[in-house]
């Protein structure tokens, strides 16, 4: 009961305590495109990338932070630090990495780091002001990982936007995400091509600051 | 290898703190048991379960879990207050070891789970108490 009261208190505080610079966390399942999006934003405004992108799952196994990004939109300036999180997963099997050509030792090491990365990402929920939940719009959005992430953000009262990523793919269906999570703002984008990225900046300014 | 399912009543979970609940689930999962809880875990308990799972994963025997929560939407104010005070989320949670649970798929009004025991696939379903999944989704 005390925990619940504390969370409600935190929610109320957030309403009155608008920050000039937000700590924006990127959450989502593995391979949803979080690092591609973080790179896109960082390249747009700082001219440098955040991290490496690859097809191998769990490429991002440590939290990656880029500070002091100033985004300019039609509605003014937006100052933020972006925190790219490792993908959340409920299982990590090292044998899966061998399918991508990794040797046994490398695959085991990657799996070990991946499990630590998931824990690190969960711990970071206590340190973010706002969150972009990145979902692959070409996949079924109603997975337990997505439901758990969204549920935690709601319980903590953390302002959230869902990014329906990969709209450049022919099988993309952002409306599936809107139907699955109707209580949240959903912005369809392609982090890979940059399509609609300006709409995302405007949504961040409108809903997360 | 046979498939064992343990059905756990909400009464037996009521006295357990979140940490104990997660330990209780994982202890069974690591023995290749699929656990069906007569309540929905809270989002915080779900992240605790994921964290604890990540700590337990080893290359040889345990690669993680599959789980799914099916919510039952509290319709009356009385139900909502009771749920709030008790901390219980009416619903159902299925958790299984990933080596056995091939897939858990959400269908309208029920969960469908495909489990593997001794190389054979066995399908089991759990029908939700909620009127529709759309309503359950709105709560998530």
């Amino acid at each position: 009961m005390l925990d619940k009261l504390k969370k409600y208190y935190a929610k109320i505080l957030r309403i009155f305590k608008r920050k000039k610079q937000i700590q924006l966390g990127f959450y989502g399942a593995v391979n949803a495109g979080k690092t591609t999006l973080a790179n896109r934003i960082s390249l747009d405004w700082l001219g440098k990338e955040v991290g490496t992108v690859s097809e191998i799952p769990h490429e991002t196994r440590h939290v990656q932070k880029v500070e002091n990004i100033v985004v300019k939109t039609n509605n003014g300036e937006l100052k933020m630090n972006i925190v790219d999180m490792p993908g959340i997963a409920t299982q990590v099997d090292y044998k899966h990495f061998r399918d991508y050509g990794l040797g046994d030792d490398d695959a085991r090491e990657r799996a070990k780091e991946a499990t630590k990365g998931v824990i690190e990402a969960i711990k970071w929920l206590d340190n973010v002001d706002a969150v972009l939940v990145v979902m692959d719009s070409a996949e079924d959005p109603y997975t337990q990982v997505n439901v758990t992430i969204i549920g935690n953000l709601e319980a903590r009262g953390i302002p959230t936007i869902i990014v329906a990523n990969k709209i450049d793919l022919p099988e993309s269906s952002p409306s599936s995400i809107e139907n699955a999570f109707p209580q949240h703002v959903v912005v369809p984008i392609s982090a890979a091509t940059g399509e609609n990225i300006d709409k995302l900046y405007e949504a961040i300014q409108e809903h997360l600051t | 290898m046979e498939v064992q399912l343990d059905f756990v009543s909400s009464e037996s979970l009521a006295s357990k703190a979140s940490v104990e609940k997660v330990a209780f689930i994982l202890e069974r999962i690591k023995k290749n048991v699929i656990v069906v809880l007569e309540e929905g875990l809270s989002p915080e308990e779900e992240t605790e379960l994921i964290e604890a799972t990540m700590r337990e994963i080893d290359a040889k025997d345990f690669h993680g879990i599959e789980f799914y929560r099916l919510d039952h939407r509290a319709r009356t104010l009385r139900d909502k207050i009771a749920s709030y005070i008790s901390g219980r989320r009416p619903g159902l949670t299925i958790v299984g070891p990933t080596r056995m649970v091939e897939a858990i798929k959400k269908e309208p009004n029920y969960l469908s789970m495909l489990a593997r025991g001794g190389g054979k696939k066995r399908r089991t379903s759990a029908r939700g108490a909620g009127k529709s999944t759309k309503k359950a989704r709105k709560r998530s």
Side-chain angles (χ1 to χ4, degrees):
Chain A
M1 185 67 108
L2 190 63
D3 279 351
K4 284 183 179 174
L5 285 174
K6 279 182 184 171
K7 277 171 190 165
Y8 277 115
Y9 179 65
K11 272 187 192 179
I12 291 165
L13 266 186
R14 278 179 214 282
I15 294 168
F16 294 103
K17 203 173 145 189
R18 287 170 74 96
K19 292 195 173 181
K20 286 183 180 174
Q21 181 158 325
I22 60 165
Q23 184 116 293
L24 183 63
F26 288 28
Y27 279 90
V30 176
N31 280 10
K34 295 176 292 301
T35 304
T36 307
L37 177 59
N39 282 343
R40 167 71 56 185
I41 295 173
S42 188
L43 271 171
D44 276 355
W45 303 100
L46 291 180
K48 65 175 183 181
E49 289 196 336
V50 176
T52 312
V53 174
S54 93
E55 285 185 351
I56 310 174
H58 295 283
E59 183 64 36
T60 306
R61 300 184 294 285
H62 302 285
V63 169
Q64 303 177 130
K65 192 172 175 184
V66 179
E67 295 185 310
N68 301 320
I69 294 181
V70 181
V71 175
K72 288 171 184 161
T73 71
N74 293 334
N75 299 319
E77 272 190 359
L78 167 65
K79 292 178 184 171
M80 60 187 184
N81 302 329
I82 59 176
V83 191
D84 179 29
M85 307 290 174
I88 305 288
T90 61
Q91 52 179 282
V92 180
D93 185 350
Y94 83 96
K95 291 195 279 295
H96 186 49
F97 300 130
R98 294 193 305 206
D99 299 341
Y100 293 88
L102 267 66
D104 236 37
D105 288 347
D106 287 344
R108 282 173 198 267
E109 187 57 31
R110 192 181 188 93
K112 200 174 168 185
E113 287 176 6
T115 58
K116 287 180 183 170
V118 174
I119 295 169
E120 196 183 358
I122 291 171
K123 298 276 184 221
W124 261 84
L125 280 168
D126 293 328
N127 299 313
V128 290
D129 301 314
V131 164
L132 298 181
V133 180
V134 183
M135 297 184 191
D136 181 342
S137 64
E139 301 281 339
D140 175 12
Y142 206 58
T143 63
Q144 188 58 49
V145 164
N146 284 342
V147 169
T148 297
I149 294 170
I150 294 286
N152 269 274
L153 296 170
E154 287 175 350
R156 291 160 197 260
I158 297 173
T160 300
I161 287 175
I162 298 176
V163 178
N165 192 23
K166 306 192 186 183
I167 58 168
D168 52 304
L169 298 180
E171 61 272 35
S172 162
S173 173
S175 59
S176 302
I177 297 175
E178 288 163 358
N179 292 336
F181 303 100
Q183 69 277 43
H184 288 283
V185 173
V186 177
V187 183
I189 69 152
S190 167
T193 66
E195 189 179 349
N196 272 0
I197 196 79
D198 289 343
K199 287 184 180 166
L200 179 61
Y201 295 142
E202 282 166 18
I204 292 170
Q205 187 153 54
E206 187 180 347
H207 299 284
L208 302 186
T209 61
Chain B
M1 190 166 62
E2 293 173 339
V3 175
Q4 181 183 335
L5 286 97
D6 281 2
F7 292 84
V8 186
S9 70
S10 54
E11 281 79 11
S12 66
L13 295 168
S15 61
K16 292 187 189 333
S18 297
V19 177
E20 293 170 317
K21 222 183 270 186
V22 166
F24 173 87
I25 294 167
L26 272 184
E27 187 189 338
R28 276 155 186 77
I29 298 296
K30 290 190 78 179
K31 291 176 185 166
N32 286 327
V33 175
I34 293 167
V35 182
V36 183
L37 307 176
E38 192 198 6
E39 68 172 39
L41 293 176
S42 70
E44 293 91 339
E45 287 170 337
E46 288 173 356
T47 46
E48 278 184 43
L49 179 61
I50 293 173
E51 267 193 77
T53 299
M54 291 298 126
R55 288 199 180 89
E56 294 289 325
I57 283 176
D58 65 73
K60 198 177 170 190
D61 294 317
F62 182 59
H63 301 143
I65 59 170
E66 284 280 353
F67 76 104
Y68 222 110
R69 161 165 51 89
L70 194 62
D71 280 336
H72 169 61
R73 186 183 170 88
R75 289 191 180 83
T76 65
L77 182 62
R78 191 178 160 191
D79 283 350
K80 285 177 184 171
I81 292 170
S83 171
Y84 184 79
I85 291 172
S86 68
R88 271 181 54 194
R89 294 170 67 97
L92 198 68
T93 306
I94 299 178
V95 193
T98 188
R99 63 155 60 174
M100 292 178 71
V101 180
E102 191 151 298
I104 302 179
K105 193 178 174 190
K106 194 178 176 83
E107 300 284 355
N109 287 331
Y110 70 95
L111 294 178
S112 176
M113 183 180 70
L114 191 61
R116 183 185 292 276
K120 292 179 181 174
K121 293 174 186 174
R122 294 154 200 260
R123 185 177 289 278
T124 184
S125 297
R127 193 162 290 274
K131 192 178 176 185
S132 75
T133 50
K134 277 188 180 175
K135 286 192 173 181
R137 287 173 184 186
K138 284 181 182 173
R139 291 186 64 225
S140 301

